[in-house]
Amino acid sequence: MNRDTTAETLLEARDLHTWFELRQWGFLRAGHVRAVDGVNFALRRGEAVAFVGESGCGKSSLARTLLGLHRPTRGEVVFEGGHLEALDKRGLKTYRARVGYVQQDPYGALPPFMDVGRILSEPLIIHGVRDRETRQARVRAALEEVRLTPAESYLSKFPHQLSGGQQQRVVIARALVLEPSMIIADEPVSMLDASVRVEILRLLRNIQVERGLTLAFITHDLSTVRHFAERIFVMYGGRIVEQAEVNELLDHPQHPYTQALLAAIPDPDPDNADREHAVPGGEPPSLANPPPGCRFHPRCPEAMAGLCDRDEPPDFEPRPVHLSACWLHR
Amino acid sequence: MRRWLEGLKQLRRYPSAVLGMLLILFLVGLSVYTVVAIPYSQALDLWRGGDHWRMHPVNASPVWADRLRGGDLPETQIISSDEVTARVQEFPGGRRLQIPLGFDYQSSAFPSELNLFLRVHDTERPPFVRFIWQAPDGSEQVIGGRRVARDERVSISQDWGLERRLGHVPHVGLMMDPGSGNPSQPEVLTGIHTMLLDVVMFDEAGSVSADLVVYGRVHGIAGTDHQRRDLMVALMWGTPVALAFGLIAAVGTTVTTLVIAAMGVWFRGWVDATIQRLTEVNMILPMLPILVMVGTLYSTSIWLMLGVVVALGIFSAGIKMYRAMLLPIREAPYIEAAKAYGAGDARIILRYMVPRVLPVLIPTFVTLIPTFVFLEASLAVLGLGDPVLPTWGKVLNDAQEQSALYNGFYYWVVSPAALLMLTGLGFAMLGFALDRVFNPRLRSL
Ligand SMILES: Nc1ncnc2c1ncn2[C@@H]1O[C@H](COP(=O)(O)OP(=O)(O)OP(=O)(O)O)[C@@H](O)[C@H]1O
Ligand SMILES: [Mg+2]
């Protein structure tokens, strides 16, 4: 491993691109969907970060690329100083034990024909934990860690016998059972009942703090993010348009897109309930055929003709440790 | 595991499933009993025919078939010289033995054949034997006399001279009632008939033993065939052979088909394309002609046939069906999760994709078993049965070659056909019920 990153950094994305080929009639190449299109960031050991952005902006694609499920078209992922693309089969397998994955749909994420004990043993079996006793002890510990107690009573349950919240706890336990140093959670609570969302987020946060894990979670929900992350990355059209400490970003949003997102947070006042649909107006950009210049400019209230529709904005630093890719900060 | 047990419990609610299982249980029990009672090598030996069967009648129908019709067709009687007392007269240089082989004959139908098996012991000088038939009415008929070598079979029924003398085939002529009116419709003279052997031995030490066989017209539960073989051997041995063939072929094809379909779905690209093309080609290849060709040109061993059936069955239409079922499963989040925690290709295919389709597979698999059983029987009927194994299909084949139905030997066709039907019925009834248990959506249809 070449140590070309600082010791504090756990994972780094450098100029990361993940494009999906578009085919016409099944074989003609018809361009690409640029799901991730030039993303740079570094995650420190033990921090929790949130990726926010509207549907289809490439958040899940980014998560999958970080997990090694998609091969990046360009750029690289560096984990603990090692390049993901350079890993051989064994190296990749080790990497997979170091990074846990929590998916959006807890029911779909669990094989319906396995009981909980089996589901949690699978990663251990795959990673060569031969001894049954050891496996059982680790499975039980993981269940206790996600507060599914007494663990024994859950071991022989099948996913369909659990509530959504319990299912997601099992998914989290599965992500933890290999004792990873990082967890990537792709909208872990968006499919859950509102009553258990905060509970699950708090659980994830507690585990992250206790274990000193790095947690990258993807969310739509800007209203809760303050309590569960230290930094925020705002994504738009396959790119990161703004990043800062959580309070800094939420209190002083710089990018017009972030401002629109914050304005769209549902107001508890029912009179304003339909406002969330009004802002930000317009369609999300097509990732197959992104607009030239700043991708947000067709919807941007402050777009400057001749600049925003022509040149891509670089990252500016309008406030300390607060990056925003918008020509307004020029 | 518990899901399977629950499924089995649910099965009890379907009477057809219970009946099907009972049928299958019966067949399995019969197989086990057969394999224990008649070991494989012995079965092959018996079925090869020959001397084992010399005391069995030719083409005798089952006893129960006659008795059900209220008939009194005779069963075979074997009268052994060991069971009768011989009169012995000594004379210088030898002995004279008079052995009365008597039997009580009560049937109104004539026997099918008369044979005498003679064995001479402990002497180098062949004794002279005269054969005398004593009828119940006191009349005597000298059949003939001759020197008898060591072991000899005296085919009384084939004695042309005697036949000419009696005016009937010997087993009719010797046993008919001379007083019965119409000589072209002879009637049996019931009572005790005796075959008296008048033996002159030219030796002090030697002795003669004899078996008189009065062949019946009915035999056992299954009857006999043209080679005197007891059909029971083939009917019994046909069961394990049929079940094993059906089971192995069904397991072999369904499991490999499923795994190959899953491989195509998982790897996509050229793997999938190759599998699809192979399937399409294989689907238009006619199975039966290929089997006939292999059987004719190469060998009709049942194991070879099994191999060809499985090989041709792998790339069957099932692949398309499983592919359609597996395609959405491939995209399931739990598969992505498995990949994310490091599961390899083989594990994902075998442990994550295949189990999802198993519930659909089980009923298909059960209903597939009789298909292969029938296929094996059809091959045998076409004359491509295993050359040595006794099977139901071989019995049908023999029956067909001997024009059984034309000759009125219905039992020869009915019993193997009934067993084949029971097999099909048992597995079909269980399979349909399993389908409803494991694919509950069908229940409402
Ligand atoms: N495997 C794939 N092949 C082709 N296109 C894909 C693939 N995965 C994602 N895409 C496309 O990439 C774009 C980004 O999708 P992605 O799932 O990353 O968005 P997202 O931000 O996670 O959205 P959401 O909030 O709805 O989950 C979409 O246009 C999607 O259609
Ligand atoms: Mg997503």
Side-chain angles (χ1 to χ4, degrees):
Chain A
M1 278 196 194
N2 45 343
R3 298 230 142 241
D4 57 358
T5 43
T6 60
E8 218 202 353
T9 303
L10 180 75
L11 179 136
E12 202 180 338
R14 294 181 188 157
D15 191 31
L16 202 60
H17 292 72
T18 303
W19 293 3
F20 300 109
E21 220 162 74
L22 270 181
R23 299 256 164 136
Q24 209 167 10
W25 301 326
F27 58 94
L28 283 184
R29 292 187 182 192
H32 294 93
V33 177
R34 305 175 178 195
V36 180
D37 200 20
V39 165
N40 288 287
F41 60 83
L43 304 185
R44 293 187 284 272
R45 213 178 267 280
E47 77 170 335
V49 301
F51 290 85
V52 297
E54 62 194 335
S55 187
C57 69
K59 305 181 299 290
S60 299
S61 304
L62 175 63
R64 293 197 183 105
T65 311
L66 296 182
L67 284 158
L69 296 171
H70 290 322
R71 213 159 225 298
T73 319
R74 184 138 48 90
E76 55 203 13
V77 177
V78 181
F79 182 79
E80 288 182 333
H83 291 254
L84 200 55
E85 296 76 71
L87 292 177
D88 59 4
K89 235 181 158 172
R90 280 209 15 230
L92 192 62
K93 197 167 160 183
T94 317
Y95 173 72
R96 298 203 144 137
R98 311 282 296 127
V99 182
Y101 183 28
V102 176
Q103 285 149 299
Q104 185 171 10
D105 167 15
Y107 183 63
L110 299 172
F113 47 86
M114 292 187 188
D115 62 19
V116 170
R118 177 82 203 178
I119 288 171
L120 296 183
S121 310
E122 275 287 305
L124 296 171
I125 294 171
I126 289 166
H127 288 276
V129 182
R130 289 266 158 68
D131 182 41
R132 241 182 108 85
E133 305 277 299
T134 318
R135 281 206 306 259
Q136 298 220 318
R138 286 178 70 171
V139 166
R140 223 164 288 145
L143 279 174
E144 271 153 22
E145 193 159 8
V146 297
R147 312 279 130 73
L148 287 176
T149 45
E152 269 69 26
S153 65
Y154 288 93
L155 285 176
S156 58
K157 288 235 165 76
F158 284 89
H160 67 92
Q161 296 168 313
L162 302 173
S163 72
Q166 290 170 328
Q167 287 166 358
Q168 195 62 302
R169 284 167 195 264
V170 174
V171 173
I172 294 170
R174 181 174 68 185
L176 290 172
V177 79
L178 289 170
E179 290 167 6
S181 50
M182 174 169 170
I183 290 210
I184 295 176
D186 187 352
E187 305 195 42
V189 295
S190 67
M191 305 259 292
L192 297 181
D193 193 85
S195 58
V196 294
R197 285 185 183 173
V198 172
E199 216 177 285
I200 295 284
L201 285 174
R202 196 166 287 145
L203 175 80
L204 259 178
R205 177 67 160 162
N206 286 343
I207 292 168
Q208 179 254 327
V209 171
E210 270 166 35
R211 287 209 184 184
L213 294 174
T214 304
L215 172 66
F217 82 90
I218 291 168
T219 178
H220 271 124
D221 185 9
L222 271 171
S223 61
T224 51
V225 85
R226 199 189 288 266
H227 311 290
F228 304 109
E230 286 131 26
R231 277 202 295 161
I232 301 191
F233 297 91
V234 180
M235 284 189 74
Y236 187 80
R239 315 184 120 228
I240 291 176
V241 292
E242 185 167 3
Q243 57 187 53
E245 290 288 310
V246 74
N247 291 327
E248 161 71 20
L249 189 136
L250 294 178
D251 297 339
H252 309 284
Q254 297 296 310
H255 197 285
Y257 174 62
T258 315
Q259 288 164 358
L261 267 186
L262 284 171
I265 291 177
D267 201 313
D269 185 350
D271 291 345
N272 299 333
D274 58 278
R275 272 191 55 202
E276 63 170 305
H277 303 295
V279 197
E283 290 286 306
S286 152
L287 294 178
N289 190 12
C294 172
R295 293 191 179 171
F296 188 55
H297 84 260
R299 297 162 77 185
C300 184
E302 328 213 14
M304 294 169 279
L307 177 64
C308 294
D309 56 4
R310 226 182 46 221
D311 298 324
E312 277 192 42
D315 283 341
F316 293 99
E317 194 167 352
R319 294 166 59 90
V321 216
H322 187 152
L323 303 182
S324 170
C326 179
W327 285 119
L328 283 177
H329 317 304
R330 161 178 55 138
Chain B
M1 207 57 234
R2 215 178 314 146
R3 231 159 50 112
W4 302 120
L5 285 182
E6 252 160 54
L8 279 183
K9 255 184 238 154
Q10 278 189 45
L11 267 184
R12 271 192 294 181
R13 276 192 264 130
Y14 296 92
S16 67
V18 175
L19 193 59
M21 280 197 284
L22 287 178
L23 279 175
I24 295 169
L25 219 63
F26 164 73
L27 292 169
V28 170
L30 182 60
S31 306
V32 172
Y33 172 76
T34 305
V35 175
V36 173
I38 315 174
Y40 181 72
S41 54
Q42 192 191 336
L44 292 192
D45 198 34
L46 285 174
W47 198 242
R48 209 171 292 129
D51 237 25
H52 306 285
W53 306 109
R54 59 183 187 169
M55 298 199 181
H56 283 62
V58 173
N59 284 333
S61 61
V63 175
W64 54 267
D66 176 60
R67 299 297 181 259
L68 276 183
R69 272 182 286 157
D72 70 337
L73 292 179
E75 288 184 67
T76 302
Q77 297 190 45
I78 300 171
I79 306 95
S80 168
S81 60
D82 300 344
E83 288 153 25
V84 299
T85 40
R87 258 183 50 212
V88 187
Q89 278 177 282
E90 309 270 344
F91 62 85
R95 291 183 299 160
R96 181 177 180 205
L97 303 172
Q98 280 185 303
I99 308 171
L101 299 170
F103 60 98
D104 189 10
Y105 197 82
Q106 291 299 338
S107 174
S108 62
F110 288 98
S112 60
E113 202 177 348
L114 280 173
N115 276 335
L116 186 65
F117 297 94
L118 289 169
R119 288 176 304 282
V120 179
H121 314 278
D122 309 324
T123 175
E124 292 307 314
R125 310 179 62 181
F128 186 85
V129 185
R130 281 200 319 145
F131 313 104
I132 301 151
W133 192 269
Q134 298 173 325
D137 60 3
S139 62
E140 279 197 1
Q141 187 70 251
V142 177
I143 296 172
R146 59 162 126 161
R147 282 186 186 277
V148 177
R150 189 158 290 277
D151 281 346
E152 195 149 330
R153 165 193 182 132
V154 183
S155 301
I156 300 163
S157 290
Q158 255 102 67
D159 187 336
W160 309 126
L162 182 63
E163 183 172 342
R164 221 169 305 124
R165 211 160 9 115
L166 295 168
H168 288 283
V169 283
H171 53 266
V172 174
L174 288 172
M175 298 187 66
M176 72 182 200
D177 183 356
S180 65
N182 187 353
S184 65
Q185 293 242 300
E187 276 170 32
V188 176
L189 184 63
T190 55
I192 297 188
H193 293 263
T194 307
M195 162 73 98
L196 182 67
L197 303 182
D198 192 358
V199 186
V200 179
M201 314 269 314
F202 306 100
D203 206 323
E204 314 275 281
S207 68
V208 166
S209 61
D211 288 308
L212 174 69
V213 185
V214 185
Y215 293 91
R217 293 186 175 275
V218 291
H219 182 88
I221 301 175
T224 60
D225 68 4
H226 61 301
Q227 295 185 37
R228 302 177 188 270
R229 295 178 298 194
D230 190 339
L231 286 179
M232 204 58 190
V233 174
L235 294 184
M236 281 170 75
W237 253 95
T239 319
V241 172
L243 292 188
F245 189 92
L247 199 72
I248 295 174
V251 171
T253 52
T254 44
V255 171
T256 44
T257 301
L258 178 55
V259 170
I260 286 177
M263 279 168 63
V265 167
W266 179 244
F267 291 114
R268 300 201 270 211
W270 65 267
V271 179
D272 193 29
T274 312
I275 291 171
Q276 294 310 309
R277 294 303 88 74
L278 273 176
T279 307
E280 281 147 20
V281 170
N282 191 56
M283 270 161 71
I284 55 160
L285 285 183
M287 170 115 121
L288 205 56
I290 292 182
L291 286 170
V292 171
M293 225 162 68
V294 172
T296 317
L297 298 178
Y298 193 58
S299 144
T300 53
S301 151
I302 198 166
W303 304 116
L304 178 72
M305 289 295 166
L306 185 61
V308 177
V309 165
V310 172
L312 289 176
I314 289 173
F315 290 96
S316 63
I319 286 209
K320 299 268 176 196
M321 185 180 84
Y322 298 136
R323 190 178 124 91
M325 287 194 275
L326 288 163
L327 273 175
I329 292 170
R330 180 192 206 282
E331 304 303 329
Y334 76 81
I335 303 260
E336 184 181 53
K339 210 176 159 192
Y341 56 67
D345 294 327
R347 194 174 190 90
I348 286 179
I349 291 171
L350 296 176
R351 299 268 182 157
Y352 291 80
M353 290 171 72
V354 167
R356 277 299 287 279
V357 188
L358 276 185
V360 186
L361 186 81
I362 301 274
T364 324
F365 157 77
V366 170
T367 34
L368 209 58
I369 293 177
T371 324
F372 289 113
V373 173
F374 294 158
L375 181 67
E376 188 268 327
S378 317
L379 285 174
V381 171
L382 288 176
L384 297 168
D386 190 273
V388 289
L389 263 184
T391 65
W392 300 335
K394 294 272 284 185
V395 173
L396 285 170
N397 184 37
D398 287 341
Q400 189 205 7
E401 278 175 5
Q402 302 297 318
S403 314
L405 291 179
Y406 176 74
N407 287 319
F409 305 138
Y410 300 104
Y411 68 93
W412 207 349
V413 177
V414 169
S415 31
L419 282 169
L420 277 167
M421 261 159 48
L422 284 185
T423 312
L425 202 65
F427 283 103
M429 287 199 294
L430 179 63
F432 295 150
L434 279 172
D435 212 12
R436 272 184 239 162
V437 170
F438 284 113
N439 307 316
R441 255 168 296 167
L442 285 177
R443 255 181 251 166
S444 52
L445 293 180

